[in-house]
Coordinates of all heavy atoms in Angstrom, one line a residue:
M1 N -71.9 26.5 -15.3 CA -73.1 27.3 -14.9 C -73.8 26.5 -13.8 O -74.3 25.4 -14.1 CB -73.9 27.7 -16.1 CG -75.2 28.4 -15.7 SD -76.1 29.1 -17.1 CE -75.8 28.0 -18.4
S2 N -73.8 27.0 -12.6 CA -74.5 26.2 -11.6 C -75.9 26.6 -11.3 O -76.6 25.8 -10.7 CB -73.7 26.3 -10.3 OG -73.6 27.6 -9.9
R3 N -76.4 27.7 -11.8 CA -77.8 28.1 -11.6 C -78.4 28.6 -12.9 O -78.6 29.8 -13.2 CB -77.9 29.3 -10.6 CG -77.5 28.9 -9.2 CD -78.5 27.9 -8.6 NE -79.9 28.2 -8.6 CZ -80.5 28.7 -7.5 NH1 -79.9 28.8 -6.4 NH2 -81.8 29.0 -7.6
P4 N -78.7 27.6 -13.8 CA -79.2 28.0 -15.1 C -80.6 28.7 -15.0 O -81.0 29.5 -15.9 CB -79.4 26.7 -15.9 CG -79.4 25.7 -14.9 CD -78.6 26.2 -13.7
D5 N -81.3 28.5 -13.9 CA -82.6 29.1 -13.7 C -82.6 30.6 -13.6 O -83.5 31.3 -13.8 CB -83.4 28.5 -12.6 CG -82.6 28.5 -11.3 OD1 -81.3 28.5 -11.3 OD2 -83.2 28.6 -10.2
I6 N -81.4 31.2 -13.2 CA -81.3 32.6 -13.0 C -80.3 33.3 -13.9 O -80.1 34.5 -13.8 CB -81.0 33.0 -11.5 CG1 -79.7 32.4 -11.1 CG2 -82.1 32.6 -10.6 CD1 -79.2 32.9 -9.7
S7 N -79.6 32.5 -14.7 CA -78.4 33.0 -15.4 C -78.8 34.1 -16.4 O -78.1 35.1 -16.5 CB -77.7 31.9 -16.2 OG -78.6 31.3 -17.1
Y8 N -80.0 33.9 -17.1 CA -80.4 35.0 -18.1 C -80.7 36.3 -17.4 O -80.3 37.3 -17.8 CB -81.6 34.5 -18.9 CG -82.0 35.5 -19.9 CD1 -81.3 35.8 -21.1 CD2 -83.1 36.3 -19.6 CE1 -81.7 36.7 -22.0 CE2 -83.6 37.3 -20.5 CZ -82.8 37.5 -21.7 OH -83.2 38.5 -22.5
S9 N -81.4 36.2 -16.3 CA -81.8 37.4 -15.5 C -80.6 38.1 -15.0 O -80.5 39.4 -15.1 CB -82.7 37.0 -14.4 OG -83.9 36.4 -14.8
V10 N -79.6 37.4 -14.4 CA -78.4 38.0 -13.9 C -77.6 38.6 -15.0 O -77.1 39.7 -14.9 CB -77.6 37.0 -13.1 CG1 -76.3 37.6 -12.7 CG2 -78.4 36.5 -11.9
Q11 N -77.5 37.9 -16.1 CA -76.7 38.4 -17.3 C -77.3 39.7 -17.8 O -76.6 40.6 -18.2 CB -76.6 37.3 -18.3 CG -75.8 37.7 -19.6 CD -76.7 38.0 -20.8 OE1 -77.8 37.6 -20.8 NE2 -76.1 38.7 -21.7
T12 N -78.7 39.7 -17.9 CA -79.3 40.9 -18.4 C -79.1 42.1 -17.4 O -78.8 43.2 -17.9 CB -80.8 40.7 -18.6 OG1 -81.0 39.6 -19.5 CG2 -81.6 41.9 -19.1
L13 N -79.2 41.9 -16.1 CA -79.0 43.0 -15.2 C -77.5 43.5 -15.2 O -77.3 44.7 -15.0 CB -79.3 42.5 -13.8 CG -80.8 42.4 -13.4 CD1 -81.0 41.8 -12.0 CD2 -81.4 43.8 -13.5
C14 N -76.6 42.6 -15.5 CA -75.2 43.0 -15.6 C -74.9 44.1 -16.6 O -74.0 44.9 -16.5 CB -74.3 41.9 -15.9 SG -74.1 40.8 -14.5
H15 N -75.8 44.2 -17.6 CA -75.7 45.3 -18.7 C -75.9 46.7 -18.1 O -75.5 47.7 -18.7 CB -76.6 45.0 -19.8 CG -76.3 43.8 -20.6 ND1 -75.2 43.8 -21.4 CD2 -76.9 42.6 -20.7 CE1 -75.1 42.6 -22.0 NE2 -76.2 41.9 -21.6
Y16 N -76.5 46.8 -16.9 CA -76.9 48.0 -16.4 C -76.2 48.4 -15.1 O -76.6 49.2 -14.3 CB -78.4 48.0 -16.1 CG -79.2 47.7 -17.3 CD1 -79.8 46.5 -17.6 CD2 -79.5 48.7 -18.3 CE1 -80.5 46.2 -18.7 CE2 -80.2 48.5 -19.4 CZ -80.7 47.2 -19.6 OH -81.4 46.9 -20.8
L17 N -75.0 47.8 -14.9 CA -74.3 48.0 -13.6 C -73.8 49.4 -13.6 O -73.7 50.0 -12.5 CB -73.1 47.0 -13.5 CG -73.4 45.6 -13.1 CD1 -72.2 44.7 -13.2 CD2 -74.1 45.6 -11.8
H18 N -73.4 50.0 -14.7 CA -72.8 51.4 -14.7 C -73.9 52.5 -14.6 O -73.6 53.6 -14.1 CB -72.0 51.6 -15.9 CG -70.8 50.7 -15.9 ND1 -69.7 50.8 -15.0 CD2 -70.5 49.6 -16.7 CE1 -68.9 49.8 -15.3 NE2 -69.3 49.1 -16.3
Q19 N -75.1 52.2 -15.0 CA -76.2 53.2 -14.9 C -77.5 52.5 -14.5 O -78.5 52.4 -15.2 CB -76.4 53.9 -16.3 CG -75.2 54.7 -16.7 CD -75.5 55.3 -18.1 OE1 -76.4 54.9 -18.8 NE2 -74.7 56.2 -18.5
P20 N -77.5 52.0 -13.2 CA -78.7 51.3 -12.8 C -79.8 52.3 -12.5 O -79.6 53.4 -12.1 CB -78.2 50.6 -11.5 CG -77.1 51.5 -11.0 CD -76.4 52.0 -12.2
K21 N -81.0 51.8 -12.7 CA -82.3 52.5 -12.4 C -83.0 51.8 -11.3 O -82.7 50.7 -10.9 CB -83.1 52.7 -13.6 CG -82.4 53.5 -14.7 CD -83.3 53.6 -15.9 CE -82.6 54.4 -17.0 NZ -83.4 54.4 -18.3
K22 N -84.1 52.4 -10.8 CA -84.9 51.8 -9.8 C -85.4 50.5 -10.2 O -85.5 49.5 -9.4 CB -86.0 52.8 -9.4 CG -86.8 52.3 -8.2 CD -87.9 53.2 -7.8 CE -88.7 52.7 -6.6 NZ -89.8 53.5 -6.2
S23 N -85.9 50.4 -11.5 CA -86.4 49.1 -12.0 C -85.4 48.0 -12.0 O -85.7 46.8 -11.7 CB -87.0 49.3 -13.4 OG -85.9 49.7 -14.3
H24 N -84.1 48.3 -12.2 CA -83.1 47.3 -12.1 C -82.9 46.8 -10.7 O -82.7 45.6 -10.5 CB -81.7 47.8 -12.7 CG -81.9 48.3 -14.1 ND1 -81.5 49.6 -14.5 CD2 -82.4 47.7 -15.2 CE1 -81.7 49.8 -15.8 NE2 -82.3 48.6 -16.2
M25 N -82.9 47.7 -9.7 CA -82.8 47.3 -8.3 C -84.0 46.4 -7.9 O -83.8 45.4 -7.2 CB -82.7 48.5 -7.4 CG -82.5 48.2 -6.0 SD -81.0 47.4 -5.8 CE -80.9 47.2 -4.0
E26 N -85.2 46.7 -8.4 CA -86.3 45.9 -8.1 C -86.2 44.5 -8.7 O -86.6 43.5 -8.1 CB -87.6 46.6 -8.6 CG -88.0 47.9 -7.8 CD -89.0 48.7 -8.5 OE1 -89.5 48.4 -9.6 OE2 -89.4 49.7 -7.9
A27 N -85.7 44.5 -9.9 CA -85.5 43.2 -10.6 C -84.4 42.3 -9.8 O -84.6 41.1 -9.6 CB -85.0 43.4 -12.0
A28 N -83.4 43.0 -9.4 CA -82.3 42.3 -8.6 C -82.9 41.8 -7.3 O -82.6 40.6 -6.9 CB -81.2 43.3 -8.3
L29 N -83.7 42.6 -6.6 CA -84.4 42.1 -5.4 C -85.3 40.9 -5.6 O -85.4 40.0 -4.8 CB -85.1 43.2 -4.7 CG -84.3 44.3 -4.1 CD1 -85.1 45.4 -3.6 CD2 -83.4 43.7 -2.9
R30 N -86.0 40.9 -6.8 CA -86.8 39.7 -7.1 C -86.0 38.5 -7.3 O -86.4 37.4 -6.9 CB -87.6 40.0 -8.4 CG -88.9 40.9 -8.2 CD -89.8 40.8 -9.3 NE -89.3 41.2 -10.6 CZ -89.3 42.4 -11.1 NH1 -89.8 43.4 -10.4 NH2 -88.7 42.6 -12.3
I31 N -84.8 38.6 -7.9 CA -83.9 37.5 -8.1 C -83.4 37.0 -6.7 O -83.4 35.8 -6.5 CB -82.7 37.9 -9.0 CG1 -83.2 38.1 -10.4 CG2 -81.7 36.7 -9.0 CD1 -82.2 38.7 -11.3
V32 N -83.1 37.9 -5.9 CA -82.6 37.5 -4.5 C -83.7 36.8 -3.8 O -83.5 35.7 -3.1 CB -82.1 38.7 -3.7 CG1 -81.8 38.4 -2.3 CG2 -80.8 39.3 -4.4
K33 N -84.9 37.3 -3.8 CA -86.0 36.6 -3.2 C -86.3 35.2 -3.7 O -86.6 34.3 -3.0 CB -87.3 37.5 -3.3 CG -87.3 38.7 -2.4 CD -88.5 39.6 -2.6 CE -88.4 40.9 -1.9 NZ -89.6 41.7 -2.1
Y34 N -86.2 35.1 -5.0 CA -86.3 33.8 -5.7 C -85.3 32.8 -5.2 O -85.6 31.7 -4.9 CB -86.3 34.0 -7.2 CG -86.2 32.6 -7.9 CD1 -87.4 31.9 -8.2 CD2 -85.0 32.1 -8.4 CE1 -87.4 30.7 -8.8 CE2 -85.0 30.9 -9.1 CZ -86.2 30.2 -9.3 OH -86.1 29.0 -9.9
V35 N -84.0 33.3 -5.2 CA -82.9 32.4 -4.7 C -83.1 32.0 -3.3 O -82.9 30.8 -2.9 CB -81.6 33.1 -4.9 CG1 -80.5 32.3 -4.3 CG2 -81.3 33.2 -6.4
K36 N -83.6 32.9 -2.4 CA -83.8 32.6 -1.0 C -84.9 31.6 -0.9 O -84.8 30.7 -0.1 CB -84.1 33.9 -0.3 CG -84.3 33.7 1.2 CD -84.5 35.0 1.9 CE -84.6 34.8 3.4 NZ -84.9 36.0 4.1
K37 N -86.0 31.7 -1.7 CA -87.1 30.8 -1.6 C -86.8 29.4 -2.1 O -87.2 28.4 -1.6 CB -88.3 31.4 -2.5 CG -89.5 30.5 -2.4 CD -90.6 31.1 -3.3 CE -90.3 30.8 -4.7 NZ -91.4 31.1 -5.7
E38 N -85.9 29.4 -3.1 CA -85.5 28.1 -3.8 C -84.2 27.5 -3.2 O -83.7 26.5 -3.7 CB -85.3 28.3 -5.3 CG -86.6 28.8 -6.0 CD -87.7 27.8 -6.0 OE1 -87.5 26.6 -6.1 OE2 -88.9 28.3 -5.8
S39 N -83.7 28.0 -2.1 CA -82.4 27.6 -1.6 C -82.4 26.2 -1.1 O -81.4 25.5 -1.1 CB -82.0 28.5 -0.4 OG -82.8 28.4 0.7
G40 N -83.5 25.6 -0.7 CA -83.6 24.2 -0.2 C -83.5 23.2 -1.3 O -83.4 22.0 -1.0
K41 N -83.6 23.6 -2.6 CA -83.6 22.6 -3.7 C -82.2 22.3 -4.1 O -81.4 23.1 -4.2 CB -84.4 23.1 -4.8 CG -85.9 23.3 -4.6 CD -86.6 23.7 -5.8 CE -88.1 23.7 -5.5 NZ -88.8 24.1 -6.7
D42 N -82.0 21.0 -4.4 CA -80.7 20.6 -5.0 C -81.0 20.4 -6.5 O -81.7 19.5 -6.9 CB -80.2 19.3 -4.4 CG -79.8 19.5 -3.0 OD1 -79.2 20.5 -2.7 OD2 -80.1 18.6 -2.2
W43 N -80.4 21.2 -7.3 CA -80.7 21.2 -8.7 C -80.1 20.1 -9.5 O -80.7 19.6 -10.5 CB -80.3 22.5 -9.4 CG -81.1 23.6 -8.8 CD1 -80.8 24.5 -7.8 CD2 -82.4 24.0 -9.3 NE1 -81.9 25.4 -7.6 CE2 -82.9 25.1 -8.5 CE3 -83.3 23.5 -10.2 CZ2 -84.1 25.7 -8.6 CZ3 -84.5 24.1 -10.4 CH2 -84.9 25.2 -9.6
A44 N -79.0 19.5 -9.1 CA -78.4 18.5 -9.9 C -78.0 17.3 -9.0 O -76.8 16.9 -9.0 CB -77.1 19.1 -10.6
V45 N -78.9 16.8 -8.2 CA -78.6 15.7 -7.3 C -79.7 14.7 -7.4 O -80.9 15.0 -7.5 CB -78.6 16.2 -5.8 CG1 -78.5 15.1 -4.8 CG2 -77.5 17.2 -5.6
C46 N -79.3 13.4 -7.5 CA -80.3 12.3 -7.6 C -81.0 12.3 -6.2 O -80.4 12.2 -5.2 CB -79.5 11.0 -7.8 SG -80.6 9.6 -7.8
A47 N -82.3 12.2 -6.3 CA -83.2 12.2 -5.1 C -83.0 10.9 -4.2 O -83.1 11.0 -3.0 CB -84.6 12.4 -5.5
H48 N -82.6 9.8 -4.9 CA -82.5 8.6 -4.2 C -81.1 8.4 -3.6 O -81.0 8.0 -2.4 CB -82.8 7.4 -5.1 CG -84.2 7.5 -5.6 ND1 -85.3 7.3 -4.9 CD2 -84.7 7.8 -6.9 CE1 -86.4 7.5 -5.6 NE2 -86.0 7.8 -6.9
S49 N -80.1 8.6 -4.3 CA -78.7 8.3 -3.9 C -78.0 9.6 -3.3 O -77.0 9.4 -2.7 CB -77.9 7.8 -5.0 OG -77.7 8.7 -6.0
R50 N -78.5 10.8 -3.6 CA -77.9 12.0 -3.2 C -76.6 12.3 -3.9 O -75.9 13.2 -3.5 CB -77.8 12.1 -1.6 CG -79.0 11.9 -0.8 CD -80.0 13.0 -1.0 NE -79.5 14.3 -0.5 CZ -79.9 15.5 -0.9 NH1 -80.8 15.5 -1.8 NH2 -79.4 16.6 -0.5
K51 N -76.3 11.6 -4.9 CA -75.1 11.8 -5.6 C -75.3 12.9 -6.7 O -76.3 13.0 -7.3 CB -74.6 10.5 -6.4 CG -74.1 9.4 -5.4 CD -73.6 8.3 -6.2 CE -73.1 7.2 -5.3 NZ -72.7 6.0 -6.0
P52 N -74.3 13.8 -6.8 CA -74.4 14.8 -7.8 C -74.5 14.2 -9.2 O -74.0 13.2 -9.5 CB -73.1 15.6 -7.7 CG -72.6 15.3 -6.4 CD -73.0 13.9 -6.1
V53 N -75.2 14.9 -10.1 CA -75.3 14.5 -11.5 C -74.5 15.5 -12.4 O -74.6 16.7 -12.3 CB -76.8 14.6 -11.9 CG1 -76.9 14.2 -13.4 CG2 -77.6 13.6 -11.1
T54 N -73.6 14.9 -13.2 CA -72.8 15.6 -14.1 C -73.6 15.6 -15.4 O -74.0 14.6 -15.9 CB -71.4 14.9 -14.3 OG1 -70.7 15.0 -13.1 CG2 -70.6 15.6 -15.4
G55 N -73.7 16.8 -16.0 CA -74.4 16.9 -17.3 C -73.7 18.0 -18.1 O -73.4 19.1 -17.5
Y56 N -73.5 17.8 -19.3 CA -72.9 18.8 -20.2 C -73.2 18.5 -21.7 O -73.7 17.4 -22.0 CB -71.4 18.9 -20.0 CG -70.7 17.6 -20.3 CD1 -70.3 17.3 -21.6 CD2 -70.4 16.7 -19.3 CE1 -69.6 16.1 -21.9 CE2 -69.7 15.5 -19.6 CZ -69.3 15.2 -20.9 OH -68.6 14.1 -21.2
L57 N -73.0 19.5 -22.5 CA -73.1 19.3 -23.9 C -72.0 20.1 -24.5 O -71.6 21.2 -24.0 CB -74.4 19.7 -24.5 CG -74.9 21.1 -24.4 CD1 -74.5 21.9 -25.6 CD2 -76.4 21.1 -24.3
I58 N -71.4 19.6 -25.6 CA -70.3 20.3 -26.2 C -70.7 20.6 -27.7 O -71.2 19.7 -28.4 CB -69.0 19.4 -26.2 CG1 -68.6 19.1 -24.8 CG2 -67.9 20.1 -27.0 CD1 -67.5 18.0 -24.7
K59 N -70.6 21.9 -28.0 CA -71.0 22.3 -29.4 C -69.8 22.9 -30.1 O -68.9 23.5 -29.5 CB -72.1 23.3 -29.3 CG -73.4 22.8 -28.7 CD -74.5 23.8 -28.6 CE -75.1 24.2 -29.9 NZ -76.2 25.1 -29.8
F60 N -69.8 22.8 -31.4 CA -68.9 23.5 -32.3 C -69.7 24.3 -33.2 O -70.3 23.7 -34.1 CB -68.0 22.5 -33.0 CG -66.9 23.1 -33.8 CD1 -65.8 23.7 -33.2 CD2 -67.0 23.2 -35.2 CE1 -64.8 24.3 -34.0 CE2 -66.0 23.8 -36.0 CZ -64.9 24.4 -35.3
G61 N -69.8 25.6 -33.0 CA -70.7 26.4 -33.7 C -72.1 26.1 -33.3 O -72.4 26.0 -32.2
D62 N -72.9 25.7 -34.3 CA -74.3 25.3 -34.0 C -74.4 23.8 -34.0 O -75.5 23.3 -33.8 CB -75.2 25.8 -35.1 CG -75.4 27.4 -35.0 OD1 -75.2 27.9 -33.9 OD2 -75.7 28.0 -36.0
S63 N -73.3 23.0 -34.2 CA -73.4 21.6 -34.2 C -73.1 21.0 -32.9 O -72.1 21.3 -32.2 CB -72.4 21.1 -35.2 OG -72.7 21.6 -36.5
L64 N -74.0 20.1 -32.4 CA -73.8 19.3 -31.2 C -72.8 18.2 -31.4 O -72.9 17.4 -32.3 CB -75.1 18.7 -30.7 CG -75.0 17.9 -29.4 CD1 -74.6 18.8 -28.2 CD2 -76.4 17.3 -29.1
I65 N -71.7 18.2 -30.7 CA -70.6 17.2 -30.9 C -70.8 16.0 -29.9 O -70.7 14.9 -30.2 CB -69.2 17.8 -30.7 CG1 -69.0 18.9 -31.8 CG2 -68.1 16.8 -30.7 CD1 -67.7 19.7 -31.6
S66 N -71.0 16.4 -28.6 CA -71.1 15.4 -27.6 C -72.0 15.9 -26.5 O -72.1 17.1 -26.2 CB -69.7 15.1 -27.0 OG -69.8 14.2 -26.0
W67 N -72.7 14.9 -25.8 CA -73.5 15.3 -24.6 C -73.5 14.1 -23.7 O -73.4 13.0 -24.1 CB -74.9 15.8 -24.9 CG -75.8 14.7 -25.5 CD1 -75.8 14.3 -26.8 CD2 -76.6 13.8 -24.8 NE1 -76.7 13.3 -27.0 CE2 -77.2 13.0 -25.8 CE3 -77.0 13.7 -23.5 CZ2 -78.2 12.0 -25.4 CZ3 -77.9 12.7 -23.2 CH2 -78.5 11.9 -24.1
K68 N -73.7 14.4 -22.4 CA -73.7 13.3 -21.4 C -74.3 13.8 -20.1 O -74.3 14.9 -19.7 CB -72.2 12.9 -21.1 CG -72.1 11.7 -20.3 CD -70.6 11.3 -20.2 CE -70.4 10.0 -19.6 NZ -69.0 9.6 -19.6
S69 N -75.0 12.8 -19.4 CA -75.6 13.1 -18.1 C -75.5 11.8 -17.3 O -75.9 10.8 -17.8 CB -77.0 13.5 -18.3 OG -77.6 13.7 -17.0
K70 N -74.8 11.9 -16.2 CA -74.7 10.7 -15.4 C -74.4 11.0 -13.9 O -74.0 12.1 -13.6 CB -73.6 9.7 -15.9 CG -72.2 10.2 -15.6 CD -71.2 9.2 -16.0 CE -70.0 9.3 -15.1 NZ -69.1 8.2 -15.1
K71 N -74.7 10.1 -13.0 CA -74.4 10.3 -11.6 C -72.9 10.2 -11.4 O -72.3 9.4 -11.9 CB -75.1 9.3 -10.7 CG -76.6 9.5 -10.6 CD -77.1 8.6 -9.5 CE -78.2 7.7 -10.2 NZ -78.7 6.8 -9.2
Q72 N -72.4 11.1 -10.5 CA -71.0 11.0 -10.2 C -70.8 9.8 -9.2 O -71.7 9.4 -8.5 CB -70.5 12.3 -9.5 CG -70.5 13.5 -10.4 CD -70.0 14.7 -9.7 OE1 -69.6 14.7 -8.6 NE2 -70.1 15.8 -10.4
T73 N -69.6 9.2 -9.3 CA -69.4 8.0 -8.5 C -69.2 8.2 -7.0 O -69.4 7.3 -6.2 CB -68.1 7.3 -9.0 OG1 -67.0 8.1 -9.0 CG2 -68.4 6.8 -10.5
T74 N -68.9 9.4 -6.6 CA -68.8 9.8 -5.2 C -69.7 10.9 -4.8 O -70.2 11.7 -5.6 CB -67.3 10.2 -4.9 OG1 -67.1 11.4 -5.7 CG2 -66.3 9.1 -5.2
I75 N -70.0 10.9 -3.5 CA -70.8 12.0 -2.9 C -69.9 13.1 -2.5 O -69.0 12.9 -1.7 CB -71.7 11.5 -1.8 CG1 -72.6 10.4 -2.2 CG2 -72.4 12.7 -1.1 CD1 -73.4 9.8 -1.1
S76 N -70.1 14.3 -3.0 CA -69.2 15.5 -2.7 C -69.7 16.1 -1.4 O -70.8 16.1 -1.0 CB -69.3 16.5 -3.9 OG -68.9 15.9 -5.1
R77 N -68.7 16.7 -0.8 CA -69.0 17.4 0.5 C -69.6 18.8 0.2 O -70.2 19.4 1.1 CB -67.7 17.6 1.3 CG -67.3 16.2 1.8 CD -66.1 16.4 2.7 NE -65.6 15.1 3.1 CZ -64.7 14.9 4.0 NH1 -64.1 15.9 4.6 NH2 -64.3 13.7 4.3
S78 N -69.4 19.4 -0.9 CA -69.9 20.7 -1.2 C -70.2 20.8 -2.7 O -69.8 20.0 -3.5 CB -68.8 21.8 -0.9 OG -67.7 21.7 -1.8
S79 N -71.0 21.8 -3.1 CA -71.4 22.0 -4.5 C -70.2 22.4 -5.3 O -70.0 22.0 -6.5 CB -72.5 23.1 -4.6 OG -72.0 24.3 -4.1
A80 N -69.2 23.1 -4.7 CA -68.0 23.5 -5.4 C -67.2 22.2 -5.7 O -66.7 22.1 -6.9 CB -67.1 24.4 -4.5
E81 N -67.1 21.3 -4.8 CA -66.4 20.0 -5.1 C -67.1 19.2 -6.2 O -66.5 18.7 -7.1 CB -66.3 19.2 -3.9 CG -65.5 17.9 -4.0 CD -65.5 17.0 -2.8 OE1 -65.9 17.5 -1.7 OE2 -65.1 15.9 -2.9
A82 N -68.4 19.2 -6.2 CA -69.2 18.5 -7.2 C -69.0 19.2 -8.6 O -68.8 18.5 -9.6 CB -70.7 18.5 -6.9
E83 N -68.9 20.5 -8.6 CA -68.7 21.2 -9.9 C -67.3 21.0 -10.4 O -67.1 20.8 -11.6 CB -69.0 22.7 -9.7 CG -70.5 23.0 -9.6 CD -70.7 24.5 -9.4 OE1 -69.9 25.3 -9.8 OE2 -71.8 24.8 -9.0
Y84 N -66.3 20.9 -9.5 CA -64.9 20.6 -9.9 C -64.9 19.2 -10.5 O -64.2 19.0 -11.6 CB -64.0 20.7 -8.7 CG -62.6 20.3 -9.0 CD1 -61.8 21.2 -9.7 CD2 -62.1 19.1 -8.6 CE1 -60.5 20.9 -10.0 CE2 -60.8 18.7 -8.9 CZ -60.0 19.6 -9.6 OH -58.7 19.3 -9.9
R85 N -65.5 18.2 -9.9 CA -65.5 16.9 -10.5 C -66.2 16.9 -11.9 O -65.8 16.2 -12.8 CB -66.3 15.9 -9.6 CG -65.5 15.6 -8.3 CD -66.3 14.7 -7.4 NE -65.8 14.6 -6.1 CZ -64.8 13.7 -5.8 NH1 -64.3 12.9 -6.7 NH2 -64.4 13.7 -4.5
S86 N -67.3 17.7 -12.0 CA -67.9 17.8 -13.3 C -67.0 18.4 -14.3 O -67.0 17.9 -15.5 CB -69.2 18.6 -13.1 OG -69.9 18.7 -14.3
M87 N -66.3 19.4 -14.0 CA -65.4 20.1 -14.9 C -64.3 19.1 -15.4 O -63.9 19.1 -16.6 CB -64.8 21.3 -14.3 CG -65.8 22.5 -14.3 SD -65.0 24.0 -13.8 CE -64.6 23.7 -12.1
T88 N -63.8 18.3 -14.5 CA -62.7 17.4 -14.8 C -63.3 16.3 -15.8 O -62.6 15.9 -16.7 CB -62.1 16.7 -13.6 OG1 -63.1 16.0 -12.9 CG2 -61.4 17.7 -12.7
S89 N -64.5 15.9 -15.6 CA -65.1 15.0 -16.5 C -65.3 15.6 -17.9 O -65.0 14.9 -18.9 CB -66.5 14.6 -16.0 OG -67.2 13.7 -16.9
I90 N -65.7 16.8 -18.0 CA -65.8 17.5 -19.3 C -64.5 17.7 -20.0 O -64.4 17.4 -21.2 CB -66.5 18.9 -19.1 CG1 -67.9 18.7 -18.6 CG2 -66.5 19.7 -20.4 CD1 -68.5 20.0 -18.1
V91 N -63.4 18.1 -19.2 CA -62.1 18.2 -19.8 C -61.6 16.9 -20.4 O -61.1 16.8 -21.5 CB -61.1 18.8 -18.8 CG1 -59.7 18.8 -19.3 CG2 -61.5 20.3 -18.5
A92 N -61.9 15.8 -19.6 CA -61.4 14.5 -20.1 C -62.2 14.1 -21.4 O -61.5 13.5 -22.3 CB -61.7 13.4 -19.0
E93 N -63.4 14.5 -21.5 CA -64.2 14.2 -22.7 C -63.6 15.0 -23.9 O -63.5 14.5 -25.0 CB -65.7 14.5 -22.5 CG -66.5 14.4 -23.8 CD -66.7 13.0 -24.2 OE1 -66.5 12.0 -23.4 OE2 -67.1 12.8 -25.4
L94 N -63.3 16.3 -23.6 CA -62.7 17.1 -24.7 C -61.4 16.6 -25.2 O -61.1 16.6 -26.4 CB -62.5 18.6 -24.2 CG -63.8 19.4 -24.1 CD1 -63.5 20.7 -23.4 CD2 -64.4 19.6 -25.4
V95 N -60.5 16.1 -24.3 CA -59.2 15.6 -24.6 C -59.4 14.3 -25.4 O -58.8 14.1 -26.4 CB -58.3 15.4 -23.4 CG1 -57.0 14.7 -23.7 CG2 -58.0 16.7 -22.7

């Protein structure tokens, strides 16, 4: 999940895709305006080194098994590349 700040709102709106109302469209527009306003922020980047930060937690049911947060060793060229590196780190922890 790369945008936890909007995930709940988007997930809630997805329930109304088949029968949207005017209020749902207004909520969607508020989300778009929020994303546009916040587009300059890097949510998971160290302010000093500009390296992406990998963070995750692994749960089994309600029990926390493992968690970790650390700077990635390389600077990624895109957020997609940073997320790919993060996923590989999580899979390695699971294995």
Side-chain angles (χ1 to χ4, degrees):
M1 174 171 31
S2 59
R3 292 297 302 258
D5 56 328
I6 62 170
S7 64
Y8 179 76
S9 301
V10 172
Q11 182 254 340
T12 302
L13 281 175
C14 287
H15 291 291
Y16 303 101
L17 285 175
H18 297 292
Q19 296 178 344
K21 297 181 180 175
K22 185 178 179 182
S23 61
H24 301 127
M25 183 63 175
E26 291 169 354
L29 288 174
R30 280 197 304 269
I31 293 170
V32 170
K33 288 177 185 176
Y34 171 80
V35 170
K36 186 176 180 180
K37 182 180 79 172
E38 301 294 322
S39 65
K41 293 186 177 180
D42 293 318
W43 292 97
V45 174
C46 175
H48 301 290
S49 67
R50 305 290 299 154
K51 290 184 179 178
V53 176
T54 297
Y56 60 86
L57 62 93
I58 301 170
K59 293 176 78 175
F60 184 73
D62 290 333
S63 301
L64 181 64
I65 296 173
S66 176
W67 66 274
K68 189 174 192 178
S69 177
K70 73 172 212 166
K71 284 189 240 180
Q72 293 180 6
T73 57
T74 59
I75 298 174
S76 301
R77 294 183 182 190
S78 68
S79 61
E81 183 181 349
E83 289 181 19
Y84 177 75
R85 290 179 190 275
S86 179
M87 285 188 294
T88 56
S89 175
I90 294 167
V91 171
E93 176 70 19
L94 286 171
V95 172

